[in-house]
Structures are given as structure tokens and as C-alpha cells.
Amino acid sequence: MDKWDKRFMNLARTIAEWSSCYQENRKVGAVVVRDKRILTTGYNGAPAGMKSCIEKAECLRKKMGIPSGTRQEICYAIHAEQNAIIQAAKMGVSIQKATLYCTHQPCAICAKMIVNSGIERVVYSEGYPDDFALLMFQETGVKLEKYEEQ
């Protein structure tokens, strides 16, 4: 990892603070970069026009007893990686051959979107219990790197 990885990972951590996730340990931030230039950002939160988990004062997943790493579709929030990819589409920004920096390892749903968006490298800090996502990255050749502080 180099100084640019550190800079962009720190930015992903800052963006994670904007999350409207009710659980402190699930605040996730993402930054999509190419040639040392920021293309898009994203954090996990409710879809536009919908009350966030913080506003609802509850985590639906916790309320329903859904274990981490499973049933990602049952959540009010859109994941940080998804929001970064959606932002690129809305703004007409190509993220082909980009790197995605994310505070947490992407889930399988995000992995599919990352692969099809053309992102070629993912750098993450915290693990996430989703082996299927790891398989998708391995099979498709998208580089997945765990960020280690130096």
C-alpha cells in the first residue's frame, strides 16, 4: 500500500461518518478513484425520500435478528459501494478501470455491481462475513486487497 491508498482510505472513513445507519459499527464509506482523482463517493443510508434508520430510531436487521453477512436485501439502507456506483451513473461518470476504497469488504450484492461497473480493484479495511463475495472477486479477476496501516 502506498501514500495514496492511505489518503483515499482515510477519506472513505470520513465519508462513513455521514452514514445514517443506526448501528455505529456499520457505518460504511466508499470512494471511487482513477489516476489519483476522486470520481464518486458513497455511504450507507436510506434511499432518497425515505426516513433513515437513525430517524426511525431502529435497525430493521437487528430488530429481526438477521445475522451479519446474510440477507443483505432486508435493510432500509443502500450500501456505500452501491451509492458510489449509482452516483457515477447519475452524473455520467465512467468508473471503468477505477479503484474502489471502502471501509468494509463488499457483500455479494455489491460485488456483482462492482464487477459489472468495470471497477478493477477494491481496497477495504474491515472484514465482512461473506465468502460468496470473495469467490466472485476471485473468479472475475477484480483485485481485492485488505488495507493494512503501515
Side-chain angles (χ1 to χ4, degrees):
M1 301 288 163
D2 65 15
K3 69 179 180 180
W4 287 100
D5 288 331
K6 182 176 182 174
R7 290 173 179 169
F8 292 127
M9 186 56 69
N10 285 339
L11 182 56
R13 290 177 180 143
T14 297
I15 291 166
E17 295 172 14
W18 306 342
S19 168
S20 61
C21 186
Y22 194 66
Q23 295 190 72
E24 281 299 315
N25 65 333
R26 285 292 177 225
K27 293 188 179 294
V28 181
V31 182
V32 180
V33 175
R34 186 177 54 240
D35 300 326
K36 300 178 186 169
R37 301 279 186 242
I38 297 165
L39 302 174
T40 64
T41 62
Y43 56 90
N44 57 331
M50 184 173 194
K51 283 187 178 179
S52 72
C53 299
I54 290 175
E55 293 170 316
K56 293 178 185 210
E58 73 174 9
C59 172
L60 179 63
R61 294 178 58 78
K62 190 172 185 178
K63 182 179 171 181
M64 295 177 71
I66 299 170
S68 183
T70 66
R71 312 254 349 248
Q72 292 93 342
E73 74 281 2
I74 299 183
C75 181
Y76 294 120
I78 297 172
H79 290 187
E81 306 93 318
Q82 294 169 0
N83 269 326
I85 292 168
I86 291 166
Q87 184 183 56
K90 283 178 74 172
M91 304 298 281
V93 175
S94 172
I95 53 177
Q96 187 80 23
K97 298 185 185 283
T99 295
L100 182 140
Y101 293 87
C102 196
T103 55
H104 293 68
Q105 174 203 310
C107 71
I109 295 168
C110 290
K112 293 174 189 178
M113 292 179 69
I114 290 165
V115 168
N116 274 7
S117 72
I119 290 171
E120 61 183 19
R121 178 177 175 238
V122 175
V123 179
Y124 71 95
S125 182
E126 303 296 322
Y128 186 71
D130 192 335
D131 292 337
F132 190 51
L134 300 177
L135 177 69
M136 274 189 257
F137 287 129
Q138 184 178 10
E139 191 169 319
T140 61
V142 173
K143 294 178 197 152
L144 182 66
E145 301 173 20
K146 180 154 178 32
Y147 178 78
E148 303 288 344
E149 271 313 317
Q150 295 180 355

